[in-house]
C-alpha cells in the first residue's frame, strides 16, 4: 500500500473469529491516479464548499461470512467492485486477519476469469519467482499490523466498465480465554456500500450457554439491526444495514460503520469428561471441567535495569500493585528485583495475608530503575527459592509453582549467552515448575524468551510499549492466576487412535480449555474408552467414560452442510501449530524432523504457515505481463523487526476481562489537540495558533443540542524568544434540549439550570447533582461534567505560579463517552468523535533525529507528518504522560475539515 502515488479512498471491513484478546479487520482500497477523491461530511455549510469528484469505482458488496463449528472457525471475506470509469484503474484489496489464523484460499474473478492463489513451499516459491523477491524478502502480500493481526493485500488493474471479485478464506481454532470465546469483526468503511453484511453462524453440539453481540459504533438507530437468533445448539448473528442506515448524516457520503463488531459466547459443560466430536474418521476432545482452584506459589522476577526507567517502571509498578491485590489468601508469593544486582523482598515465599500484601505493595512503590541486566542469576534465584521452600515443606503439596519474569532487554550482565541461560534454566527447573516470560517493548529478544519458557512448561508473551501496558501485564496474570489441575493426561485406546495431538498438559487454568484431536483407526467405538487424570486440590482427579458419536443430522436437521470435514482440518491446524512450536527447541535432528512434518501438512491442507507461501499470479494487462506476488506467514520475530523499522506503535489488545478501550479526544496546553485511537495503538495531534481572544467551536451536535466553544488567552507579555503562547482559559457548554448552560474559566464555574445561576469556585471540593447535569469539582484540579444520558466532559485546571513573568493559568478539555453523540457531530474536536481513516507510509528522517517524518494519506490528500509526543494530563495534572502521535502541521490543515478560520465563532455560546 505504501507505493500508491495518488490519493485514495478506503473501504475498510473485515472479520476475525478468535479468542478474547485478538482482533482483525480488512479493507478494499480503490486507488485513483488521475483525480483527487475527497470525503463529504455532515458539517457546517461553510465546510461543505470543498470540491468533490465523483468516485468512479462502485462498491457493490462487502460480505463477511463466518461459520464456527465446535470452536473451529471458517471465515470467507468477499468484496465486489465495478470500475465505472472509461479508463483502467488499480484496485487494492486489503484484509487484516488474526496472526494465529492460516490463510487457506484466495481468488480474484475478473471478467469471468478466475485467478486462484497456490500454496507452495516457501523456498521453492522464492526460487521459482525470483522477480518477486527483493533483498532476501518476499514481495509479501502479508505485513504485520498491530499486536494480533497481519494485513493481506493485493492489487489488480481493472479495465474500464469491468467487475472484480476478491475472495479470501482463512481458518482458526478458537481458544477459550477467561471463560469465553470471541469473534471480532472490525469494520471501518470510508464510504457507503450497496450490500454490506456480516453473518456469523455458530454450531456447538455441546450446547450454547450464552451469546452476546455488541459493537463500539452501535447507536440507538443501529442497535435493532443486529439480529440474533439462539437455540440450544445454534446461534445466528447478522448485521446488514442499508446504504441509508449506514449514512452518517442526511445527504452526506460519510458512514456510521466504524469500529468493532463483537460476538462472544460459551458452551454448556455438564460433565467432567468433556465433550468429544467425531466426524469423518477424526475426533476432537474438549475438556474444561468445573473444579475448585488450586493454590499457587508465584515468584515475580522484575527487571529494574536502566532501560526500564520512566513510563515502563511506572506501568510495571501500577500493574504489580493491582496484581498483588488479586493474589488469593491461600497463595504464596515472592518478589525479586534485578539489574546487575539481585534483590529479594524476602528470602522465601510468603503467604498472601493482608499484612504481607500491604507490605509487598509498599516495597513495590519504592522500586526504581538503575543498572544493567542479569537475567540468568535473577531467574536462578527464583528457582532456588521455590526448590528450598519445597524441601522445607513450607508450601502446600498440591499447589502450582510458577515464575513470572518481566524484562525489556537483552542479558548483558553475568551470563550473557542466551543459549547457555536456556540450558541453565532447563537444568535448574528440571520440569518441576513453570516459567512465564513477559518481554516488554521492542528491544527484548523475544525468541530467546519464547524458547526458554516453552522448555520449562510455560509460555512467553510480548508486552507492548503503549499506554495500556499495565493492563496487559494484569491481563496476563488473570489468565494464569487460577490453576485447576496439574499434570493433566488425556488417555485414549492405543489400538483405536493414531496421529494424536499433544495429550499431556502441565496445567489447566480456570476459564481455559484443553483440546486434543486425533485420527480414528476404524469406526468401531465399542472399545473407545477415554480417561482423563490429573492432580486436583485435595486428591488426584480421574474420570473416564465411553465415547458415543453425536448424530449431527439429529442436532441440525435443516443444515445440509456444516463444514463437514472440520474435525480433520481442526486436527491438522492444531498439529501444525504444535509442530511449529516444537521446531524451535530440541536437537538439530528433532528440529529438522518436526519442521519437515509441519511443511508436509501445510502443503497437504493448503495452509499458509511460516513454512509455506501463497503465490498469486496477477493477470496480464496492456501495460504489463502477468506478475507473481507471494503471500507469507510472519513469525513473531519478523513482526517485531517490522515494528522497529516502521515505528509501528502497537494497539492495545490485552485487557482485563470486560475492559474495552475507548478513544479519547482532548485539547490541552498551547493548545494541543489530540485524537487518541487505542484500536490502532496510535494518536493524531495538531496545534491551533491564533491571536488571544479568539473563540473556537470545539463540539457542535445540532441533533442533541450540544455546543462547546473555547476562548484562548495569551502570555502576560512577549517572552525573550518572541513566541507568544496561547491557551484555552474559558469554555462555554450548552445543552439546549436539557436547558443547561455552563461557563468554566480559570477563575470560577457558573451553571445556569432551571432558570437560575449557580457559581462554584475551584478552591472548593464541591458537587451538584441535578435532574439534567451533574458537576463534580476536585479542588484546584478538575471539573467533571456529566450530561444526562449523554456525553461526559472533564476540564482540567492548570495553575501557574502567580508571579510567573509570562505564563497564566489555563484549562484542558477532555471528552469521554463521545460515542453517545449523534453521527452529525462536528467542530475542531467533534468531527473526530466517530473515527478517522488514514494511512502512514514512507517513513524518513526528519529535522530532529528522534522525530521521523512520514507521508499520511487522509481525506484524499497526502500530508507530511512528524512523529512526536504530546502530553495527556488526565492522570497527572502537573507533569502529564507523554503520548506518541503523528503531528499534522499548519493548524491541522488537511486533517480537519476546511480551514481553521471556519471554526471561529462570535461568542462563547454562539454557533456562528
Amino acid at each position: 500500500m505504501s507505493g500508491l502515488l495518488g490519493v485514495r479512498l478506503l473501504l475498510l471491513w473485515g472479520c476475525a473469529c478468535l479468542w478474547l484478546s485478538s482482533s482483525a479487520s480488512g479493507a478494499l482500497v480503490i486507488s485513483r491516479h488521475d483525480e483527487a477523491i475527497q470525503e463529504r461530511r455532515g458539517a457546517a455549510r461553510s465546510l461543505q464548499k470543498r470540491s468533490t469528484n465523483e468516485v468512479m469505482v462502485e462498491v457493490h458488496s462487502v460480505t463477511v461470512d463466518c461459520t464456527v463449528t465446535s470452536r473451529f472457525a471458517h471465515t470467507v471475506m468477499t468484496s465486489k467492485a465495478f470500475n465505472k470509469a472509461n479508463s483502467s484503474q488499480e484496485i487494492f484489496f486489503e484484509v487484516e486477519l488474526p496472526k494465529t489464523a492460516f490463510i487457506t484460499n484466495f481468488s480474484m474473478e475478473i471478467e469471468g476469469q478466475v485467478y486462484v492463489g497456490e500454496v507452495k513451499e516457501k523456498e521453492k516459491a522464492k526460487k521459482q519467482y525470483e522477480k518477486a523477491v527483493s533483498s532476501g524478502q518476499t514481495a509479501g502480500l502479508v505485513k504485520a499490523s498491530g499486536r494480533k493481526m497481519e494485513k493481506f493485500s493485493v492489487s489488480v488493474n481493472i479495465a474500464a466498465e469491468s467487475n472484480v471479485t476478491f475472495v479470501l478464506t482463512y481458518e482458526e481454532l478458537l481458544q477459550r480465554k477467561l471463560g469465553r470465546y470471541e469473534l471480532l469483526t472490525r469494520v471501518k468503511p470510508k464510504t457507503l456500500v450497496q450490500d454490506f453484511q456480516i453473518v456469523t453462524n455458530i454450531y456447538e453440539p455441546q450446547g450454547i450457554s450464552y451469546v452476546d453481540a455488541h459493537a463500539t459504533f452501535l447507536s440507538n438507530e443501529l442497535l435493532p439491526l443486529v439480529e440474533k437468533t439462539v437455540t440450544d445448539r445454534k446461534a445466528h448473528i447478522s448485521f446488514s444495514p442499508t446504504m441509508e442506515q449506514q449514512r452518517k448524516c442526511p445527504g452526506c457520503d460519510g458512514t456510521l460503520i466504524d469500529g468493532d463488531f463483537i460476538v462472544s459466547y460459551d458452551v454448556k459443560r455438564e460433565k467432567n469428561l468433556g465433550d468429544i466430536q467425531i466426524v469423518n474418521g477424526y475426533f476432537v476432545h474438549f475438556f474444561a471441567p468445573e473444579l475448585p482452584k488450586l493454590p499457587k506459589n508465584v515468584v515475580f522476577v522484575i527487571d529494574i535495569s536502566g532501560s526500564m526507567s520512566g513510563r515502563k517502571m511506572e506501568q510495571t509498578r501500577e500493574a504489580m500493585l493491582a496484581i498483588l491485590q488479586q493474589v488469593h489468601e491461600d497463595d504464596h508469593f515472592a518478589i525479586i528485583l534485578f539489574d546487575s544486582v539481585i534483590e529479594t523482598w524476602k528470602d522465601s515465599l510468603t503467604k498472601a495475608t493482608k499484612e504481607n500484601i500491604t507490605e509487598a505493595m509498599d516495597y513495590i512503590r519504592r522500586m526504581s530503575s538503575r543498572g544493567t541486566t542479569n537475567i540468568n542469576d535473577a531467574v536462578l534465584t527464583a528457582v532456588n527459592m521455590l526448590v528450598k521452600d519445597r524441601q522445607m515443606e513450607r508450601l502446600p503439596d498440591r499447589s502450582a509453582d510458577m515464575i513470572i519474569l518481566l524484562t525489556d532487554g537483552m542479558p548483558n550482565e553475568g551470563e550473557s549467552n542466551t543459549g547457555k541461560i536456556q540450558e541453565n534454566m532447563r537444568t535448574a527447573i528440571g520440569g518441576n515448575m513453570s516459567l512465564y516470560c513477559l518481554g516488554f517493548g521492542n528491544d527484548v529478544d523475544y525468541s530467546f524468551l519464547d524458547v526458554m519458557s516453552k522448555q520449562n512448561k510455560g509460555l512467553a508473551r510480548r508486552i507492548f510499549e503503549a499506554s495500556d501496558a499495565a493492563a496487559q501485564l494484569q491481563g496476563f496474570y488473570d489468565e494464569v492466576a487460577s490453576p485447576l489441575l496439574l499434570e493433566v493426561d488425556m488417555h485414549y485406546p492405543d489400538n483405536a487412535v493414531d496421529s494424536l495431538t499433544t495429550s499431556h498438559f502441565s496445567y489447566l487454568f480456570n476459564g481455559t480449555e484443553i483440546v486434543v484431536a486425533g485420527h480414528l483407526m476404524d469406526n468401531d467405538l465399542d472399545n473407545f474408552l477415554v480417561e482423563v487424570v490429573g492432580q486436583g486440590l485435595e486428591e488426584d482427579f480421574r474420570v473416564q467414560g465411553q465415547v458415543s458419536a453425536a448424530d449431527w443430522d439429529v442436532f441440525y436437521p435443516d443444515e445440509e452442510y456444516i463444514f463437514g470435514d472440520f474435525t480433520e482440518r481442526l486436527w491438522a491446524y492444531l498439529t501444525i501449530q504444535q509442530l511449529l512450536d516444537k521446531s524451535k527447541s530440541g536437537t538439530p535432528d528433532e528440529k529438522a524432523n518436526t519442521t519437515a512434518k509441519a511443511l508436509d501438512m501445510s502443503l497437504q491442507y493448503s495452509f499458509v504457515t511460516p513454512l509455506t507461501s501463497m503465490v498469486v499470479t496477477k493477470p496480464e494487462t496492456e501495460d504489463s505481463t502477468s506478475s507473481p506476488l507471494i503471500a507469507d506467514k510472519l513469525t513473531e520475530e519478523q513482526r517485531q523487526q517490522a515494528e522497529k523499522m516502521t515505528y509501528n506503535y502497537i494497539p492495545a489488545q490485552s485487557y482485563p476481562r470486560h475492559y474495552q478501550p475507548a478513544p479519547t479526544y482532548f485539547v490541552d496546553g498551547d493548545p494541543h489537540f489530540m485524537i487518541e485511537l487505542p484500536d490502532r495503538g496510535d494518536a493524531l495531534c495538531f496545534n491551533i495558533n491564533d491571536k488571544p481572544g479568539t473563540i473556537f467551536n470545539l463540539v457542535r451536535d445540532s441533533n442533541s443540542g450540544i455546543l462547546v466553544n473555547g476562548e484562548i488567552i495569551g502570555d502576560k507579555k512577549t517572552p525573550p524568544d518572541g513566541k507568544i503562547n496561547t491557551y484555552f482559559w474559558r469554555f462555554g457548554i450548552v445543552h439546549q434540549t436539557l436547558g443547561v448552560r455552563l461557563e468554566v474559566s480559570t477563575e470560577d464555574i457558573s451553571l445556569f439550570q432551571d432558570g437560575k445561576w449557580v457559581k462554584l469556585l475551584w478552591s472548593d471540593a464541591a458537587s451538584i447533582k441535578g435532574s439534567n447535569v451533574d458537576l463534580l469539582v476536585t479542588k484546584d484540579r478538575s471539573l467533571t461534567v456529566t450530561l444526562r444520558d449523554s456525553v461526559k466532559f472533564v476540564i482540567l485546571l492548570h495553575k501557574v505560579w502567580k508571579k510567573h513573568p509570562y505564563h497564566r493559568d489555563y484549562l484542558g478539555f477532555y471528552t469521554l463517552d463521545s460515542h453517545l453523540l449523534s453521527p452529525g457531530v462536528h467542530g475542531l474536536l467533534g468531527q473526530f468523535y466517530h473515527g478517522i481513516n488514514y494511512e502512514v507510509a514512507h517513513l524518513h528522517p526528519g529535522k530532529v533525529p528522534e522525530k521521523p517524518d512520514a507521508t499520511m494519506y487522509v481525506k484524499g490528500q497526502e500530508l507530511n507528518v512528524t512523529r512526536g509526543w504530546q502530553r495527556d494530563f488526565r492522570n497527572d495534572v502537573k507533569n502529564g504522560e507523554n503520548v506518541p502521535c503523528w503531528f499534522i502541521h499548519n493548524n491541522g490543515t488537511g486533517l480537519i475539515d476546511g480551514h481553521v478560520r471556519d471554526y471561529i465563532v462570535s461568542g462563547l455560546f454562539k454557533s456562528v
Side-chain angles (χ1 to χ4, degrees):
M1 287 304 306
S2 60
L4 289 184
L5 299 177
V7 292
R8 54 188 64 184
L9 169 71
L10 284 87
L11 170 60
L12 295 171
W13 63 276
C15 172
C17 306
L18 57 154
W19 47 286
L20 176 61
S21 61
S22 297
S23 64
S25 68
L28 173 66
V29 181
I30 302 106
S31 172
R32 293 298 314 273
H33 296 278
D34 52 346
E35 55 181 311
I37 302 169
Q38 297 193 24
E39 178 192 26
R40 296 188 307 228
R41 300 178 65 102
R45 291 182 180 179
S46 63
L47 301 181
Q48 290 182 330
K49 296 177 182 179
R50 295 173 293 124
S51 63
T52 59
N53 295 299
E54 183 185 2
V55 177
M56 298 305 293
V57 173
E58 187 176 83
V59 182
H60 286 305
S61 67
V62 170
T63 61
V64 181
D65 191 348
C66 184
T67 301
V68 182
T69 311
S70 288
R71 287 65 139 189
F72 197 64
H74 176 87
T75 302
V76 181
M77 301 178 170
T78 307
S79 285
K80 298 180 180 179
F82 176 66
N83 179 12
K84 299 193 297 183
N86 56 10
S87 61
S88 63
Q89 296 189 91
E90 192 82 354
I91 297 181
F92 289 78
F93 172 76
E94 285 188 352
V95 167
E96 290 186 40
L97 64 154
K99 67 178 184 180
T100 49
F102 291 155
I103 293 173
T104 62
N105 186 55
F106 172 72
S107 66
M108 300 180 290
E109 182 176 349
I110 305 167
E111 297 181 350
Q113 179 71 39
V114 179
Y115 302 85
V116 181
E118 183 180 2
V119 177
K120 297 189 176 186
E121 182 182 350
K122 179 173 289 188
E123 292 306 315
K124 289 184 179 179
K126 285 184 179 181
K127 292 177 182 178
Q128 184 175 355
Y129 296 97
E130 291 180 355
K131 291 182 180 180
V133 181
S134 173
S135 302
Q137 307 227 350
T138 59
L141 305 180
V142 176
K143 297 179 180 178
S145 180
R147 299 176 186 175
K148 301 292 181 181
M149 296 177 287
E150 52 195 23
K151 182 186 291 185
F152 173 94
S153 61
V154 66
S155 67
V156 64
N157 201 57
I158 301 299
E161 299 184 352
S162 295
N163 289 292
V164 60
T165 300
F166 299 99
V167 182
L168 181 75
T169 305
Y170 66 82
E171 296 171 1
E172 181 183 23
L173 175 63
L174 307 189
Q175 297 183 38
R176 189 169 184 249
K177 183 178 178 184
L178 297 174
R180 62 176 176 172
Y181 311 95
E182 183 166 296
L183 297 84
L184 185 151
T185 304
R186 179 163 296 162
V187 285
K188 289 183 170 293
K190 179 80 181 263
T191 189
L192 306 174
V193 182
Q194 292 183 29
D195 179 14
F196 180 88
Q197 190 174 37
I198 302 171
V199 176
T200 300
N201 287 297
I202 302 171
Y203 301 91
E204 291 289 353
Q206 194 170 339
I208 298 174
S209 62
Y210 86 93
V211 177
D212 182 48
H214 66 282
T216 57
F217 56 83
L218 283 182
S219 61
N220 291 333
E221 293 77 19
L222 289 178
L223 188 60
L225 301 181
V226 179
E227 297 182 359
K228 183 174 69 171
T229 304
V230 183
T231 60
D232 185 37
R233 295 183 174 91
K234 179 183 176 182
H236 173 84
I237 301 97
S238 65
F239 178 64
S240 183
T242 65
M243 288 185 72
E244 286 304 311
Q245 291 166 333
Q246 297 168 41
R247 205 178 295 276
K248 180 175 284 190
C249 57
C252 65
D253 292 338
T255 176
L256 283 170
I257 314 303
D258 186 0
D260 293 340
F261 186 86
I262 303 159
V263 177
S264 58
Y265 79 96
D266 199 12
V267 300
K268 297 177 181 177
R269 304 175 193 280
E270 298 176 350
K271 51 189 178 181
N272 281 339
L273 181 63
D275 181 67
I276 296 179
Q277 299 295 323
I278 301 173
V279 179
N280 295 342
Y282 286 83
F283 80 92
V284 57
H285 185 184
F286 301 101
F287 179 68
E290 299 290 341
L291 297 171
K293 300 172 185 176
L294 286 162
K296 62 182 178 298
N297 314 304
V298 56
V299 183
F300 298 99
V301 183
I302 303 171
D303 185 347
I304 59 168
S305 60
S307 58
M308 285 287 290
S309 64
R311 186 57 182 153
K312 285 183 185 177
M313 184 57 64
E314 292 175 17
Q315 291 172 317
T316 301
R317 185 182 296 111
E318 177 186 344
M320 282 301 303
L321 291 174
I323 288 170
L324 285 171
Q325 294 182 68
Q326 298 176 24
V327 177
H328 194 271
E329 60 184 0
D330 291 333
D331 294 342
H332 289 71
F333 73 103
I335 301 169
I336 296 175
L337 307 181
F338 74 95
D339 54 348
S340 56
V341 176
I342 313 303
E343 177 184 313
T344 59
W345 171 52
K346 294 182 182 294
D347 293 335
S348 63
L349 280 84
T350 304
K351 192 166 185 182
T353 64
K354 290 182 179 179
E355 294 77 14
N356 287 334
I357 292 295
T358 300
E359 185 181 341
M361 292 175 70
D362 290 339
Y363 178 72
I364 289 296
R365 289 188 183 100
R366 295 193 300 270
M367 72 179 182
S368 59
S369 57
R370 47 198 192 203
T372 51
T373 309
N374 188 341
I375 291 176
N376 184 78
D377 290 354
V379 180
L380 285 179
T381 301
V383 174
N384 293 333
M385 188 181 290
L386 280 164
V387 169
K388 181 180 178 182
D389 282 359
R390 278 289 179 195
Q391 293 172 345
M392 301 293 291
E393 298 183 350
R394 295 170 179 160
L395 306 175
D397 287 339
R398 293 181 180 273
S399 58
D401 295 343
M402 59 180 69
I403 298 168
I404 298 179
L405 166 68
L406 171 67
T407 181
D408 76 329
M410 291 283 290
N412 53 18
E413 181 76 24
E415 180 60 66
S416 59
N417 183 291
T418 55
K420 182 62 176 175
I421 295 174
Q422 290 169 343
E423 181 183 339
N424 292 343
M425 296 310 120
R426 194 164 59 247
T427 301
I429 289 174
N432 296 317
M433 60 193 73
S434 290
L435 173 61
Y436 297 95
C437 299
L438 305 181
F440 202 144
N442 259 333
D443 294 327
V444 71
D445 186 344
Y446 179 78
S447 178
F448 154 61
L449 298 180
D450 187 35
V451 171
M452 187 165 68
S453 62
K454 285 185 170 66
Q455 290 173 338
N456 295 285
K457 302 192 335 184
L459 57 88
R461 181 73 58 81
R462 291 180 64 197
I463 301 299
F464 296 95
E465 198 171 343
S467 59
D468 75 315
Q472 294 177 59
L473 291 167
Q474 188 178 345
F476 172 80
Y477 180 78
D478 289 343
E479 293 178 45
V480 300
S482 301
L484 303 181
L485 289 175
L486 306 178
E487 306 303 336
V488 183
D489 283 296
M490 318 286 284
H491 296 304
Y492 309 92
D494 292 337
N495 61 349
V497 301
D498 62 4
S499 302
L500 203 63
T501 61
T502 298
S503 59
H504 174 80
F505 301 86
S506 301
Y507 294 103
L508 171 65
F509 293 103
N510 186 44
T512 64
E513 181 175 63
I514 285 174
V515 182
V516 180
H519 176 250
L520 296 175
M521 298 172 68
D522 58 50
N523 290 322
D524 180 12
L525 299 179
D526 292 340
N527 297 318
F528 197 19
L529 186 69
V530 175
E531 182 181 47
V532 182
V533 298
Q535 299 174 20
L537 175 60
E538 296 179 349
E539 59 185 5
D540 286 346
F541 175 89
R542 183 181 299 271
V543 63
Q544 62 182 15
Q546 190 78 26
V547 172
S548 60
D551 192 338
W552 284 67
D553 293 332
V554 174
F555 287 161
Y556 308 106
D558 299 326
E559 307 290 341
E560 295 181 1
Y561 173 78
I562 315 174
F563 201 32
D565 62 345
F566 80 92
T567 46
E568 181 178 356
R569 297 191 67 81
L570 186 158
W571 164 80
Y573 173 94
L574 195 57
T575 301
I576 292 170
Q577 290 279 33
Q578 292 173 355
L579 288 171
L580 290 172
D581 284 341
K582 291 178 182 177
S583 68
K584 297 178 181 179
S585 58
T587 66
D589 286 344
E590 290 172 340
K591 291 180 180 179
N593 289 335
T594 53
T595 300
K597 290 178 183 177
L599 173 59
D600 288 343
M601 291 188 65
S602 299
L603 294 172
Q604 180 182 350
Y605 290 93
S606 294
F607 284 138
V608 178
T609 72
L611 305 175
T612 55
S613 299
M614 177 170 283
V615 179
V616 180
T617 302
K618 296 198 294 185
E620 294 185 18
T621 64
E622 295 179 0
D623 302 324
S624 64
T625 58
S626 59
S627 55
L629 294 176
I630 300 175
D632 280 343
K633 185 74 176 175
L634 302 177
T635 64
E636 194 64 36
E637 291 72 28
Q638 289 171 328
R639 295 170 60 86
Q640 185 180 9
Q641 188 61 32
E643 289 155 14
K644 290 181 182 179
M645 297 297 292
T646 61
Y647 290 79
N648 184 15
Y649 290 82
I650 306 300
Q653 295 296 342
S654 184
Y655 307 101
R657 189 175 185 180
H658 303 317
Y659 173 77
Q660 293 291 337
T664 303
Y665 312 90
F666 66 86
V667 56
D668 212 330
D670 179 23
H672 306 299
F673 287 77
M674 176 78 81
I675 302 104
E676 290 191 38
L677 305 167
D679 62 329
R680 296 185 61 150
D682 208 351
L684 308 179
C685 53
F686 59 94
N687 294 348
I688 295 293
N689 298 306
D690 212 295
K691 60 185 179 182
T694 303
I695 302 174
F696 291 105
N697 172 245
L698 303 181
V699 182
R700 181 179 65 258
D701 187 355
S702 56
N703 291 339
S704 61
I706 291 178
L707 179 76
V708 180
N709 293 331
E711 181 178 352
I712 59 175
I713 191 173
D715 286 333
K716 297 174 184 177
K717 59 181 179 180
T718 304
D721 60 7
K723 178 187 176 183
I724 296 182
N725 298 299
T726 56
Y727 313 86
F728 280 105
W729 79 282
R730 199 162 65 114
F731 292 112
I733 301 174
V734 177
H735 196 309
Q736 294 176 347
T737 307
L738 299 179
V740 173
R741 177 174 292 202
L742 179 67
E743 180 177 341
V744 184
S745 73
T746 54
E747 299 167 357
D748 54 39
I749 301 155
S750 298
L751 170 66
F752 181 81
Q753 184 181 225
D754 300 327
K756 59 183 180 181
W757 284 94
V758 178
K759 179 172 287 190
L760 300 175
L761 299 177
W762 284 104
S763 57
D764 297 327
S767 65
I768 294 178
K769 287 190 174 294
S771 56
N772 294 320
V773 62
D774 293 345
L775 301 184
L776 175 64
V777 180
T778 302
K779 182 179 178 181
D780 288 332
R781 187 183 189 278
S782 67
L783 167 69
T784 301
V785 182
T786 305
L787 297 168
R788 190 188 72 192
D789 300 327
S790 186
V791 71
K792 179 186 292 185
F793 302 118
V794 176
I795 297 173
L796 299 184
L797 172 65
H798 297 274
K799 294 186 71 67
V800 177
W801 178 45
K802 288 185 178 181
K803 296 182 180 181
H804 197 288
Y806 307 112
H807 301 325
R808 307 174 189 262
D809 294 350
Y810 66 95
L811 302 175
F813 180 85
Y814 295 73
T815 312
L816 307 179
D817 300 327
S818 57
H819 65 283
L820 296 177
L821 292 176
S822 79
V825 65
H826 212 266
L828 278 173
L829 276 179
Q831 64 186 285
F832 302 108
Y833 284 172
H834 293 294
I836 177 74
N837 289 314
Y838 66 94
E839 279 190 274
V840 177
H842 308 307
L843 199 73
H844 57 277
K847 294 181 180 179
V848 180
E850 62 270 22
K851 294 183 178 181
D853 284 353
T855 299
M856 176 178 289
Y857 299 96
V858 60
K859 295 184 178 180
Q861 302 182 65
E862 294 183 21
L863 308 179
N864 184 66
V865 295
T866 301
R867 196 67 183 180
W869 301 82
Q870 298 289 12
R871 282 187 290 177
D872 181 338
F873 291 93
R874 279 174 295 170
N875 297 322
D876 184 349
V877 74
K878 182 178 179 181
N879 301 308
E881 173 189 338
N882 279 333
V883 178
C885 63
W886 291 110
F887 183 80
I888 291 85
H889 303 274
N890 303 321
N891 289 329
T893 300
L895 178 68
I896 64 172
D897 289 333
H899 190 274
V900 68
R901 307 298 297 179
D902 299 326
Y903 298 87
I904 296 177
V905 293
S906 58
L908 198 62
F909 299 103
K910 300 287 187 180
S911 58
V912 291

